Amino acid sequence: MTTQNQGLFIAFEGGDGAGKSTQASLLAAALESRGHTVLRTREPGGTPIGEKLRSLVLDHGHGHIDARTEALIFAASRAAHATQVIRPALEDGTVVLSDRYIDSSVAYQGAGRNLGADAVRTLNNWATDELHPDLTVLLDVEPAIGRQRRTAGEAVEDRMESEADEFHCRIREAFLALAQSAPETYLVLPAHQAVEELSAQILARVTTLLDAVPPLELAP
Ligand code: TYD
């Protein structure tokens, strides 16, 4: 939680093809037009080392990557991201919007790769020194629809996306279970709604949170 600083940390989560990037960019534009400083970032990635780790873990052609190695690469990328980017931005009073965060590892590596939610959560709590979002926006998408949306643009599927629908079903269930375990810090929205309907609901919830954040104290 970021209660001791004035920024706000929002993570966007959901299956592949849920529309997270579209919603993050609409929210960023809406908040900026209201005078907030916003940082949009993503995982894996967000730092130079994180972008290298991203291509290591997502691109085809690095040979087989076992599940533990995969989980550690995502966690390493996240450690750099939390320490070098997210925490400093929050301390400056920035609203940070991250496309994916710890829940993605709990869902994809914990459930998808069967490493177990608890082990993956513990690893990532350590990696981030317990930096958690104030709000997680979960865009819930049926795996078959997510696949249709991704392949409509004929983009080549990465290592995760090309997994079977059954893998993506486990991930979806894991995301929903995470949201149910702490409903006050989640906004769960069915991703098939119109883009504008989704963005209005997200903005309403975030505005409520921002109204509750105390103003940044200026030095005398
Ligand atoms: P990306 O291109 O960002 O996909 P999307 O647009 O759907 O977010 O690729 C990220 C992929 O990496 C996605 O398939 C989810 C996966 N992933 C994990 O398996 N574990 C993680 O911790 C993170 C952050 C992502």
Side-chain angles (χ1 to χ4, degrees), residues 12-21 42-45 54 57-58 70-71 74-75 77-78 99-109 113 124 150 158-161 167-168 171:
F12 285 80
E13 297 281 9
D16 296 278
K20 298 181 302 301
S21 312
R42 69 167 181 179
E43 292 197 353
R54 177 185 178 89
V57 77
L58 291 183
E70 183 181 283
F74 281 116
S77 166
R78 181 164 300 122
D99 201 328
R100 300 194 180 280
Y101 193 60
I102 294 177
D103 284 7
S104 279
S105 279
V106 175
Y108 281 79
Q109 282 64 54
R113 302 290 193 214
N124 280 280
R150 298 196 295 276
D158 65 35
R159 276 185 62 248
M160 298 294 159
E161 289 169 340
F167 174 84
H168 291 282
I171 286 161

Side-chain angles (χ1 to χ4, degrees), residues 38-181:
V38 178
L39 175 71
R40 265 201 72 194
T41 183
R42 69 167 181 179
E43 292 197 353
T47 62
I49 185 82
E51 292 296 328
K52 290 205 162 140
L53 292 168
R54 177 185 178 89
S55 76
L56 257 187
V57 77
L58 291 183
D59 294 353
H60 297 275
H62 297 294
H64 174 68
I65 302 180
D66 67 89
R68 284 172 193 251
T69 302
E70 183 181 283
L72 287 163
I73 294 175
F74 281 116
S77 166
R78 181 164 300 122
H81 193 211
T83 307
Q84 297 170 27
V85 176
I86 302 177
R87 217 182 270 281
L90 292 171
E91 283 164 6
D92 278 351
T94 300
V95 179
V96 177
L97 309 182
S98 183
D99 201 328
R100 300 194 180 280
Y101 193 60
I102 294 177
D103 284 7
S104 279
S105 279
V106 175
Y108 281 79
Q109 282 64 54
R113 302 290 193 214
N114 293 313
L115 288 176
D118 288 347
V120 174
R121 190 182 294 109
T122 303
L123 169 67
N124 280 280
N125 286 346
W126 180 81
T128 61
D129 199 11
E130 304 273 351
L131 179 66
H132 295 290
D134 297 290
L135 176 71
T136 298
V137 177
L138 172 57
L139 297 178
D140 178 43
V141 66
E142 276 178 43
I145 296 187
R147 191 180 292 274
Q148 264 172 26
R149 286 184 172 189
R150 298 196 295 276
T151 47
E154 289 179 30
V156 177
E157 292 192 306
D158 65 35
R159 276 185 62 248
M160 298 294 159
E161 289 169 340
S162 52
E163 290 287 343
D165 281 352
E166 189 263 331
F167 174 84
H168 291 282
C169 285
R170 286 207 300 279
I171 286 161
R172 181 188 187 196
E173 293 309 316
F175 275 131
L176 290 170
L178 282 165
Q180 270 161 20
S181 70

